[in-house]
Amino acid sequence: AIGLVIAKIVQAIILNQSRVLSVSAVAHTAMAQDVCISLPTIIRRGGVCETLRITLDQDEQNKLAASVSTIKNEIAQGMACI
């Protein structure tokens, strides 16, 4: 499955297809800043072109915020070990 996804990403880049794929990239949203998370993203020749805005209900927003917090905490703990 990973090989198939990689092939789709590479194809979108090489053929400049402007495909929407769920890929991990640095997020610049109100709920997730400066952390890599997977969101629907337009991929084309230059790579990540635009992250699409999605509407989340309150429960989904809370879960995303918790995930972002967990990722940031794990990164901080990892950096403390270096």
Side-chain angles (χ1 to χ4, degrees), residues 19-23 25 38-43 48-52:
R19 293 188 69 170
V20 176
L21 300 167
S22 183
V23 297
S38 293
L39 294 169
T41 304
I42 298 173
I43 306 292
V48 171
C49 173
E50 177 184 356
T51 300
L52 302 179

Side-chain angles (χ1 to χ4, degrees), residues 3-21 43-47:
L4 181 61
V5 171
I6 292 171
K8 286 182 180 183
I9 293 169
V10 170
Q11 183 179 34
I13 292 169
I14 291 173
L15 300 177
N16 199 28
Q17 292 180 320
S18 294
R19 293 188 69 170
V20 176
L21 300 167
I43 306 292
R44 58 178 158 221
R45 187 167 315 261

Side-chain angles (χ1 to χ4, degrees), residues 1-81:
I2 292 172
L4 181 61
V5 171
I6 292 171
K8 286 182 180 183
I9 293 169
V10 170
Q11 183 179 34
I13 292 169
I14 291 173
L15 300 177
N16 199 28
Q17 292 180 320
S18 294
R19 293 188 69 170
V20 176
L21 300 167
S22 183
V23 297
S24 247
V26 177
H28 302 289
T29 67
M31 291 180 291
Q33 292 188 7
D34 302 324
V35 67
C36 289
I37 57 172
S38 293
L39 294 169
T41 304
I42 298 173
I43 306 292
R44 58 178 158 221
R45 187 167 315 261
V48 171
C49 173
E50 177 184 356
T51 300
L52 302 179
R53 291 184 177 264
I54 54 176
T55 303
L56 302 175
D57 64 31
Q58 191 60 50
D59 183 53
E60 292 168 325
Q61 289 178 29
N62 293 341
K63 288 177 179 177
L64 178 59
S67 293
V68 168
S69 179
T70 299
I71 292 169
K72 286 184 174 185
N73 289 337
E74 292 297 322
I75 291 170
Q77 287 179 11
M79 294 301 290
C81 294

